[in-house]
């Protein structure tokens, strides 16, 4: 759940913003002073800040500037005067957006949602790239644990997926059935190397066009298996 900090000295406005944001599923905290608001903004993890401009202690301009030195978290400035907007621009504070009072609560919620999803896409783009193996028509998404053949998804059991991914991650290397068994199944597992043979057969049925002439997993007679690239 996204966490939002509102720094606003007019309590009725702060409460109104909080009510609407909570109705939309956000977790909301309020600080009524600029100095305490700034301290929390820097010390805690929030997903978005809503800052009033005129505040006791430290004003919204200063808070925004200090937040920007340390965080990329979206900042939405709230002002009572149109003149303030020019000042926000002029100071180059790095605020993501501003909204003038009086505003409709639904407009505030819409702006908050837009900034949060943009920020999540930005952060997500760096952190959450799926690890994918692609060989000819076979695509293995290691992160999502999904397998596709020519764009069509195939259902894999956990061990089938682990075995295929292990082989495909170590291409052109021959593994004995014993090696595969010890890598994919933990030592306590019941079963033996015949389990490997059974799983290879099932994987081939899913990924090979013709299981009698496998294009991906090759049998090396008397030794084991090799993933061909
Ligand atoms: Ca104020």
């Amino acid at each position: 759940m996204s966490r939002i900090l509102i720094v606003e000295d007019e309590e009725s406005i702060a409460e109104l913003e909080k009510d609407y944001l909570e109705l939309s599923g956000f977790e909301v905290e309020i600080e009524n002073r600029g100095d305490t608001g700034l301290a929390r903004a820097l010390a805690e993890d929030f997903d978005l800040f809503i800052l009033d401009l005129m505040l006791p202690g430290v004003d919204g301009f200063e808070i925004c500037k200090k937040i920007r030195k340390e965080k990329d978290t979206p900042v939405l400035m709230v002002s009572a005067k149109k003149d303030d907007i020019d000042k926000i621009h002029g100071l180059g504070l790095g605020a993501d957006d501003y909204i003038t009072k009086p505003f409709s609560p639904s407009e505030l919620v819409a702006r908050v949602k837009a900034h949060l999803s943009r920020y999540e896409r930005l952060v997500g783009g760096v952190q959450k790239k799926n690890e994918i193996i692609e060989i000819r028509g076979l695509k293995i998404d290691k992160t999502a644990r999904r397998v596709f053949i020519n764009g069509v998804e195939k259902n894999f059991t956990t061990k089938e997926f682990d075995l295929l991914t292990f082989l495909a991650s170590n291409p052109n290397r021959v593994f004995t059935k014993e090696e595969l068994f010890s890598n994919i199944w933990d030592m306590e597992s019941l079963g033996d190397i015949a389990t490997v043979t059974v799983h290879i057969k099932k994987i081939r049925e899913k990924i090979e066009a013709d299981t009698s002439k496998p294009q991906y997993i090759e049998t090396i007679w008397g030794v084991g298996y090799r993933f061909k690239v």
Side-chain angles (χ1 to χ4, degrees):
M1 188 195 292
S2 295
R3 223 171 145 237
I4 297 169
L5 178 66
I6 297 171
V7 189
E8 169 66 71
D9 58 334
E10 285 174 71
E11 281 182 41
S12 58
I13 291 180
E15 288 298 333
L16 182 72
E17 292 174 356
K18 185 176 191 234
D19 287 347
Y20 272 86
L21 290 166
E22 282 180 345
L23 279 174
S24 299
F26 299 111
E27 195 185 319
V28 182
E29 303 278 331
I30 295 174
E31 282 297 328
N32 295 122
R33 292 184 53 86
D35 41 10
T36 54
L38 174 60
R40 285 193 73 183
L42 297 180
E44 295 177 34
D45 273 335
F46 289 98
D47 300 294
L48 185 136
F49 299 105
I50 298 175
L51 306 178
D52 182 32
L53 284 183
M54 293 306 125
L55 292 160
V58 178
D59 69 23
F61 295 113
E62 195 62 25
I63 298 174
C64 185
K65 208 160 73 184
K66 294 240 164 78
I67 289 173
R68 268 299 158 268
K69 277 191 183 161
E70 295 191 21
K71 304 182 180 205
D72 298 323
T73 315
V75 175
L76 189 58
M77 312 282 278
V78 177
S79 84
K81 293 178 288 180
K82 292 267 189 291
D83 296 356
D84 288 336
I85 294 164
D86 297 335
K87 204 171 166 192
I88 292 169
H89 284 306
L91 289 171
L93 295 169
D96 295 274
D97 203 358
Y98 50 83
I99 191 164
T100 48
K101 292 178 189 171
F103 51 81
S104 76
S106 54
E107 189 189 350
L108 177 77
V109 171
R111 301 263 191 115
V112 165
K113 283 183 177 167
H115 285 288
L116 279 172
S117 62
R118 201 172 69 181
Y119 184 64
E120 274 156 19
R121 275 201 306 277
L122 210 71
V123 173
V126 178
Q127 291 176 343
K128 293 179 206 149
K129 201 158 192 250
N130 283 13
E131 201 185 332
I132 287 168
I133 298 174
E134 247 179 317
I135 298 146
R136 299 185 293 273
L138 173 67
K139 179 176 157 185
I140 305 169
D141 185 331
K142 290 173 81 171
T143 315
R145 298 183 64 89
R146 297 171 78 182
V147 180
F148 301 84
I149 278 285
N150 300 320
V152 180
E153 183 165 13
K154 302 285 175 177
N155 289 318
F156 274 67
T157 65
T158 304
K159 292 301 179 198
E160 288 166 7
F161 181 86
D162 291 345
L163 183 55
L164 173 64
T165 305
F166 178 79
L167 285 165
S169 302
N170 298 281
N172 296 327
R173 259 184 70 183
V174 182
F175 291 96
T176 65
K177 291 175 188 175
E178 288 83 359
E179 282 172 324
L180 292 173
F181 187 77
S182 69
N183 270 289
I184 306 302
W185 283 265
D186 48 51
M187 287 306 153
E188 292 79 37
S189 291
L190 291 176
D192 53 47
I193 57 169
T195 313
V196 176
T197 316
V198 171
H199 278 74
I200 293 283
K201 182 170 178 285
K202 285 183 178 161
I203 293 169
R204 280 180 175 154
E205 283 165 4
K206 292 173 191 185
I207 65 171
E208 299 287 358
D210 178 356
T211 52
S212 68
K213 294 188 192 100
Q215 298 301 302
Y216 297 104
I217 302 174
E218 202 180 7
T219 302
I220 310 298
W221 293 108
V223 187
Y225 299 101
R226 172 171 68 185
F227 192 95
K228 278 196 294 190
V229 295

